[in-house]
Amino acid sequence: MKEPIGKWRLISPFFIILILHCIAILLFTRGFLLTRTELSTFSTCSDISNSPCNNPNFNLTDDQNQNDSRGCWTKPAVDRVVIIVLDALRFDFLASSSFFEGEKKPWMDKLQVLQKLASDEKSSAKIFKALADPPTTSLQRLKGLTTGGLPTFVDVGNSFGAPAIIEDNLIHQLVQNGKRVLMMGDDTWVQLFPDQFGKSYPYPSFNVKDLHTVDDGCVRHLIPSLYEEDWDVLIAHFLGVDHAGHIFGVDSTPMIEKLEQYNVILEKVVEVLKNQSGPGGLHENTFFMVMGDHGQTLNGDHGGGTAEEVETSLFAMSLKNPPASIPSALYTASCILDSSGKKVCASTIQQLDFAATVTALLGIPFPYGSIGRVNPELYGLSSGTWNRPVISASNYKQSDLEKWMQNYANVLCVNSWQVKRYIDAYSAASVIGFSLEDLRHVADMYDQAQNNWSQRSENFSLCGNEIPNESCDASLTILQGQIDAYSNFLASVAELARSKWTEFDLKMMGVGLGIFVLSLFVHTIAIRRSDKLCQISCPSNGDCHISLRVISAIFLVAIRACSFLSNSYILTEGKVASFLLGTTGILNLRYSLVKKETLIEAVAFLLLNFVLRFTTEVGLSKQEGLSAFMNLYPLRMLAIDHEHPVLAFVSNIVPMLTLILLSYLLVKSTADNRCSSVLKYVYNTGAILSYMLIALHWALESNLLALPLVLKHVDRDYVPRMIYAIGLGLLALSALTHFFKKETSNYTESVLTKTIGMLSACSSTVILLLGRQGPLIALACITGGWCITRFGQLEVKTKNGIGVFTADPLPVTQWSLFAVCLFFSTGHWCAFDGLRYGAAFIGFDEFNLIRQAILLTIDTFGVSLILPILGLPLLVVLKYPYSQGTGGTQGRGIFFVKLSQVFLMYGLITSITTILTVICVTIQRRHLMVWGLFAPKFVFDVVGLLLTDVIICLTSLYYFCRVEDGTK
């Protein structure tokens, strides 16, 4: 060693790489996750004069013209609208269980009051399967429902802090056209539409553990408001089902109780509406809807694009029955006979069509950016869309159906004109817009439909003005053809928007990708530079052996990274990582058999990988419920009921026993460490006390364990807060001792003490947030980490002392793959419905954005990033156990060079996989699953990369002492 190695020479690359990654992610994200251009134009009543369609008053009878002058773009069909939103309302919550194969699930047929109304032939009520566009977060769904546009992916980031909607929307049109809007429930509405509601009763919505506050507030105001005349549109947004799903899952008692509660509430609402629906009654011409904003998986998650998440329900009923039914050609309903022999039907509607249909029913302008279609089945439910037969002077009588079809065709004419003008304005205002070929195709379809309508409108006017012709007799066929022409145009525009809506700035994306690649070169140069700092001169045979292990590590990383180019492998990422980790385990087993050492560790590692693969299968299955582990095939074969008291008791007591084992392992691991005995005692005491509090917290939440009366009165939120406080205290103690305590000459034991201290400080919070699986996952972390370090020690024994300076990349690769397996085995996956929002509220009932974001981040990345990176020094400390007398300053320098190389290798592996994800989303940016799969994967990976860089930078400041003299 010619000169001492400075601390900053070793850790400076970490900060350079962090800066490069921040710049690359910022540039690429600005190019990839751009929102669509939001036009500031708003629709007005006077705009209809520019439309080639008939004036809405053309379709009104004389008495309607006199009594209703509110017609703007279309004829007003209803006076009042009641909209009840049941958040996360799955389709099988509302539809009859007869629609679904297999045995009836406990949550089905609970909303019987709506099912009975829909199956009653005397009632004008329908049940719809409403299809939402992903991502299915509440903010995006409310924005899509009210604007009539498609969601933009970047809005996911605002789901916890909804910004006001600045583009034209349903609420704005209601207010501008004199409609009084009353809102109650989820406070997201007042965040999206500030100062828009005449009256509002908002309640905080982000405490997912609270199933009742929002719902009770809605109940308190809903029924009394139905007797009042100071509103035209009432919106009540219930959240209980959504929160029950997040915390307990769909197949749970709280979910069933919530659905039964909703059934009672809806029964009262229907009773009030019907009692006042007579002639001259307050609700004579009221339109009633119950709907969900999105669905949810059986785990209670949503945000992705699976069928369970995008399929929700809509129930609609007019208090005044229409005189006839719409043409069968416009029906999308599928009908079956239920268990009682009654005919039950369910139609299909796109949520994209909601805003256009509601505005058409109320006779107000469509939102300027709406690209939805006025749904015929929903629109036809209202009797106001039907006219009495009109008899002209020529005695030509139009039927109810013919008159309705003519009215609906004119509504579609206005609908199509609005969508066409928006597409033209968007393309003119947007930087990229739609291609000329797409615009030409859309224009041709619109011109063809509009020209046909102009000619047919003249024929219809002749039929009503004593000049009948042959087209009068064939008017139904002609009208159906015209409706189809407009519908095809609107469907074509919606399909075009879904495929090409988001604008990509390829130059910005290219620059960001280029900086990502540059960071790889910095990583590689930093690793080689650390070799030169020690003036390495390795024997040729050693180089050959190391090279083989390097090739193996590169091969494993390359396979995993390249798998991200396929959507199928992204969906099964946990299985791929488990397979690759198992491959390294088999290689280790072979090596152990040859050397006749670490055979127990090799077998244990393979068994552990098998268990992780098994739990990954359960955790990744969005179709499985929270009790999936207990419902597995072996239990069914043994006829064991997963709700058996003994099994439930075991599931409660095993995690607590595991905490005792973790405490023993902690004490055992530090027993021989002579460095900082007082500090070691504090770390051990704090960790063990936290484990005891975790057990107490679970006992307080369990009804199976008998507790002393005094403990039963303990506030359940206090215990988690004490655990957080102990963890923060231990972290603060670690920082203080690092800055004020002089480093000892025994640097390996010093780093080991620091590592165990950091793991002790952070592990309790991670275990608490993971729930009862936490102790078992922590035990798996310890077992896997120990096996990997033992394999490294076996490799070192084949070398001569400290002659091999370059850190072995294979254990680092195994460490990384093991961390990935832990991520998926804990029930996480790279999608927004994989976030466990309930963990963010452990210990807190009130919502605080920063606090809940930190807890959610710890739960998501605790065992996959935070703990593995904090434990990386173990790969060096246990593999190369230098002591005070080994090598002096040179040995100290080699030790910290190896430590820096391990951190650089781990960061390099994370960078490579993230860059392949970036390349994947660049290639697949027009893929059908870009927003449902590739974009969430991109967000998770770049967040993980930044978190990795930040933790490595912080830990390098903490673990690395000044190499030249051993002081801080």
Side-chain angles (χ1 to χ4, degrees):
M1 185 74 62
K2 292 184 178 181
E3 62 180 73
I5 303 171
K7 171 180 177 178
W8 287 102
R9 296 183 68 185
L10 291 178
I11 69 175
S12 57
F14 303 141
F15 292 88
I16 296 173
I17 291 167
L18 172 60
I19 293 171
L20 287 175
H21 284 164
C22 289
I23 296 173
I25 291 171
L26 176 64
L27 294 176
F28 187 88
T29 302
R30 286 181 65 85
F32 177 65
L33 294 183
L34 284 177
T35 61
R36 59 182 170 81
T37 303
E38 293 185 346
L39 304 184
S40 58
T41 309
F42 292 81
S43 298
T44 62
C45 281
S46 59
D47 293 345
I48 196 65
S49 61
N50 300 320
S51 165
C53 309
N54 293 331
N55 186 283
N57 289 329
F58 176 84
N59 292 320
L60 293 172
T61 58
D62 291 340
D63 58 331
Q64 286 174 316
N65 268 319
Q66 292 175 0
N67 299 328
D68 196 343
S69 60
R70 293 177 295 169
C72 187
W73 282 21
T74 60
K75 181 191 70 171
V78 299
D79 296 331
R80 311 180 97 193
V81 177
V82 176
I83 302 173
I84 295 180
V85 181
L86 304 182
D87 208 289
L89 183 70
R90 287 167 55 100
F91 180 58
D92 57 2
F93 284 172
L94 179 54
S96 171
S97 58
S98 304
F99 279 104
F100 308 96
E101 297 180 357
E103 61 181 8
K104 177 182 174 182
K105 304 299 182 183
W107 60 84
M108 294 181 177
D109 296 334
K110 297 302 178 184
L111 301 179
Q112 294 186 5
V113 60
L114 302 184
Q115 291 182 356
K116 290 178 181 178
L117 288 170
S119 61
D120 187 357
E121 296 181 355
K122 299 179 181 180
S123 170
S124 62
K126 276 184 179 293
I127 290 176
F128 295 84
K129 177 193 289 184
L131 303 179
D133 289 287
T136 49
T137 58
S138 293
L139 167 65
Q140 290 177 302
R141 287 294 79 238
L142 293 182
K143 189 172 182 179
L145 284 167
T146 54
T147 62
L150 294 172
T152 51
F153 183 84
V154 76
D155 288 335
V156 171
N158 295 321
S159 290
F160 287 103
I165 295 179
I166 60 174
E167 60 183 324
D168 200 2
N169 58 80
L170 171 62
I171 305 300
H172 172 82
Q173 288 298 334
L174 290 171
V175 175
Q176 291 301 308
N177 289 275
K179 304 294 183 182
R180 299 159 299 173
V181 185
L182 169 63
M183 194 288 303
M184 59 191 71
D186 186 350
D187 62 352
T188 304
W189 286 88
V190 295
Q191 297 176 42
L192 291 173
F193 311 103
D195 305 321
Q196 294 289 305
F197 301 109
K199 277 186 180 181
S200 62
Y201 304 100
Y203 296 90
S205 58
F206 288 116
N207 185 1
V208 293
K209 294 193 300 182
D210 184 356
L211 308 186
H212 306 294
T213 298
V214 177
D215 290 358
D216 291 346
C218 288
V219 172
R220 190 178 305 115
H221 298 287
L222 177 57
I223 301 300
S225 297
L226 295 176
Y227 293 97
E228 298 176 359
E229 301 182 9
D230 58 351
W231 57 266
D232 300 298
V233 176
L234 185 152
I235 301 171
H237 192 145
F238 291 77
L239 281 176
V241 160
D242 179 72
H243 289 185
H246 281 305
I247 300 299
F248 303 103
V250 170
D251 190 4
S252 64
T253 301
M255 179 66 76
I256 307 304
E257 291 174 349
K258 267 296 162 188
L259 292 173
E260 291 174 345
Q261 178 191 8
Y262 287 172
N263 187 66
V264 174
I265 296 170
L266 292 172
E267 193 170 14
K268 294 179 180 178
V269 170
V270 171
E271 181 182 0
V272 173
L273 293 176
K274 282 189 172 182
N275 289 340
Q276 300 186 67
S277 62
L282 188 60
H283 297 294
E284 178 185 6
N285 197 23
T286 295
F287 200 75
F288 176 52
M289 285 184 283
V290 179
M291 61 186 297
D293 53 348
H294 51 74
Q296 59 177 301
T297 66
L298 292 184
N299 287 327
D301 301 317
H302 59 87
T306 64
E308 288 182 308
E309 295 165 279
V310 301
E311 292 179 0
T312 182
S313 304
L314 188 149
F315 169 88
M317 181 181 72
S318 173
L319 274 299
K320 184 185 292 185
N321 294 343
S325 299
I326 65 173
S328 58
L330 299 177
Y331 267 117
T332 62
S334 59
C335 300
I336 58 173
L337 296 179
D338 63 12
S339 56
S340 62
K342 277 190 174 184
K343 182 180 179 182
V344 291
C345 301
S347 301
T348 302
I349 185 174
Q350 297 286 336
Q351 278 195 350
L352 188 67
D353 301 339
F354 178 80
T357 306
V358 173
T359 52
L361 287 170
L362 289 167
I364 60 177
F366 299 173
Y368 190 84
S370 171
I371 59 172
R373 178 187 69 146
V374 177
N375 183 273
E377 294 178 87
L378 187 59
Y379 184 72
L381 280 180
S382 172
S383 64
T385 63
W386 298 76
N387 290 320
R388 293 189 299 272
V390 177
I391 304 178
S392 65
S394 61
N395 293 324
Y396 173 74
K397 180 179 180 180
Q398 284 185 298
S399 66
D400 287 324
L401 182 59
E402 183 181 352
K403 193 65 177 177
W404 183 88
M405 291 180 69
Q406 183 179 344
N407 178 47
Y408 180 61
N410 186 66
V411 170
L412 285 185
C413 176
V414 176
N415 192 179
S416 300
W417 163 78
Q418 156 57 27
V419 171
K420 177 61 166 58
R421 76 163 183 167
Y422 170 68
I423 292 297
D424 291 341
Y426 180 85
S427 298
S430 176
V431 177
I432 300 177
F434 299 105
S435 67
L436 292 176
E437 182 181 353
D438 292 330
L439 290 175
R440 191 178 301 112
H441 174 68
V442 168
D444 290 342
M445 292 188 69
Y446 177 75
D447 291 340
Q448 181 180 358
Q450 193 54 49
N451 290 336
N452 292 339
W453 179 239
S454 299
Q455 296 175 5
R456 290 163 182 171
S457 295
E458 293 179 3
N459 292 334
F460 293 135
S461 63
L462 292 176
C463 292
N465 288 284
E466 306 182 20
I467 314 178
N469 54 56
E470 64 275 8
S471 67
C472 297
D473 298 329
S475 60
L476 289 178
T477 303
I478 294 173
L479 285 169
Q480 184 60 56
Q482 186 60 47
I483 290 172
D484 291 341
Y486 282 133
S487 298
N488 292 336
F489 162 75
L490 293 169
S492 177
V493 171
E495 182 180 358
L496 174 64
R498 285 190 176 97
S499 63
K500 298 184 178 181
W501 195 261
T502 303
E503 302 172 357
F504 299 105
D505 189 333
L506 295 181
K507 292 183 179 179
M508 191 83 74
M509 293 170 64
V511 173
L513 182 57
I515 297 177
F516 267 124
V517 175
L518 176 62
S519 72
L520 292 184
F521 285 103
V522 174
H523 259 120
T524 306
I525 292 172
I527 293 174
R528 298 305 304 165
R529 173 177 168 269
S530 63
D531 285 344
K532 294 180 180 179
L533 288 175
C534 295
Q535 299 178 350
I536 296 176
S537 177
C538 290
S540 59
N541 59 348
D543 287 339
C544 178
H545 191 81
I546 289 293
S547 296
L548 291 176
R549 294 178 68 82
V550 170
I551 291 173
S552 300
I554 293 175
F555 183 70
L556 291 170
V557 174
I559 289 178
R560 178 168 180 261
C562 292
S563 69
F564 295 157
L565 298 176
S566 167
N567 64 320
S568 299
Y569 283 113
I570 291 177
L571 288 171
T572 57
E573 181 183 355
K575 298 179 183 178
V576 173
S578 178
F579 172 78
L580 296 177
L581 185 63
T583 302
T584 66
I586 293 174
L587 294 176
N588 288 327
L589 178 62
R590 176 183 176 278
Y591 198 69
S592 298
L593 290 172
V594 172
K595 299 294 182 181
K596 296 182 180 180
E597 294 186 58
T598 65
L599 183 59
I600 295 177
E601 288 86 348
V603 174
F605 190 73
L606 285 174
L607 291 176
L608 176 62
N609 183 62
F610 174 77
V611 173
L612 292 179
R613 171 62 184 267
F614 180 74
T615 55
T616 296
E617 292 280 357
V618 177
L620 282 178
S621 178
K622 295 184 180 183
Q623 285 71 42
E624 296 290 341
L626 290 179
S627 59
F629 186 83
M630 296 300 181
N631 286 325
L632 292 174
Y633 182 73
L635 292 180
R636 295 200 304 268
M637 286 294 294
L638 296 174
I640 298 176
D641 183 6
H642 69 276
E643 295 183 353
H644 193 280
V646 174
L647 198 59
F649 180 79
V650 170
S651 66
N652 278 275
I653 203 67
V654 167
M656 298 184 185
L657 295 177
T658 308
L659 287 173
I660 298 175
L661 178 59
L662 291 176
S663 301
Y664 169 77
L665 293 175
L666 176 62
V667 175
K668 181 73 174 176
S669 65
T670 58
D672 298 330
N673 191 332
R674 300 180 299 274
C675 186
S676 303
S677 58
V678 176
L679 193 60
K680 176 181 65 175
Y681 175 79
V682 173
Y683 285 142
N684 290 350
T685 303
I688 294 173
L689 178 59
S690 295
Y691 294 160
M692 294 173 61
L693 290 174
I694 291 173
L696 175 60
H697 173 67
W698 290 338
L700 290 172
E701 290 189 335
S702 174
N703 296 322
L704 299 175
L705 302 178
L707 293 175
L709 185 62
V710 175
L711 293 179
K712 290 185 179 180
H713 294 287
V714 175
D715 192 324
R716 295 184 179 183
D717 288 340
Y718 288 160
V719 178
R721 292 178 187 179
M722 292 174 64
I723 297 171
Y724 301 147
I726 293 173
L728 288 174
L730 292 178
L731 288 176
L733 178 63
S734 300
L736 290 174
T737 54
H738 175 72
F739 285 108
F740 297 107
K741 183 178 179 296
K742 185 177 180 180
E743 292 284 349
T744 64
S745 59
N746 196 336
Y747 48 88
T748 56
E749 287 204 355
S750 175
V751 172
L752 179 60
T753 300
K754 289 181 178 181
T755 303
I756 295 176
M758 291 297 292
L759 293 174
S760 301
C762 298
S763 62
S764 57
T765 297
V766 174
I767 291 173
L768 174 66
L769 296 179
L770 286 175
R772 285 177 171 81
Q773 65 174 338
L776 299 174
I777 294 297
L779 184 61
C781 290
I782 295 173
T783 305
W786 172 250
C787 291
I788 293 173
T789 54
R790 288 285 291 144
F791 298 147
Q793 289 175 343
L794 177 63
E795 180 62 24
V796 167
K797 289 181 180 180
T798 65
K799 308 299 181 229
N800 297 321
I802 58 173
V804 179
F805 295 100
T806 304
D808 188 355
L810 191 57
V812 183
T813 305
Q814 288 180 306
W815 200 272
S816 175
L817 290 172
F818 184 56
V820 174
C821 292
L822 289 173
F823 174 81
F824 289 97
S825 67
T826 52
H828 296 95
W829 54 85
C830 295
F832 294 105
D833 54 347
L835 296 173
R836 294 149 35 103
Y837 298 104
F841 290 90
I842 293 178
F844 302 96
D845 292 328
E846 306 81 15
F847 175 76
N848 179 282
L849 180 60
I850 297 177
R851 181 180 62 207
Q852 263 60 57
I854 292 173
L855 292 177
L856 188 62
T857 301
I858 294 174
D859 172 71
T860 305
F861 297 107
V863 294
S864 60
L865 284 180
I866 300 174
L867 295 183
I869 295 174
L870 293 178
L872 276 175
L874 297 176
L875 290 178
V876 181
V877 173
L878 300 180
K879 186 175 181 180
Y880 305 101
Y882 302 113
S883 63
Q884 180 178 356
T886 307
T889 304
Q890 181 181 8
R892 179 187 297 277
I894 293 172
F895 175 84
F896 284 104
V897 166
K898 286 182 178 292
L899 188 56
S900 69
Q901 285 180 334
V902 166
F903 279 115
L904 284 169
M905 288 176 184
Y906 193 91
L908 179 61
I909 293 171
T910 307
S911 298
I912 291 173
T913 54
T914 303
I915 289 174
L916 263 294
T917 300
V918 170
I919 293 174
C920 173
V921 296
T922 303
I923 296 173
Q924 307 285 7
R925 63 187 182 277
R926 295 299 181 189
H927 194 280
L928 179 65
M929 300 178 67
V930 63
W931 303 124
L933 177 65
F934 296 112
K937 171 63 178 170
F938 165 76
V939 171
F940 271 76
D941 277 9
V942 296
V943 170
L945 178 63
L946 286 178
L947 190 59
T948 298
D949 290 339
V950 170
I951 296 175
I952 287 177
C953 288
L954 294 177
T955 52
S956 67
L957 291 173
Y958 177 65
Y959 288 137
F960 286 67
C961 65
R962 291 180 62 184
V963 179
E964 62 269 22
D965 59 10
T967 59
K968 300 187 295 292

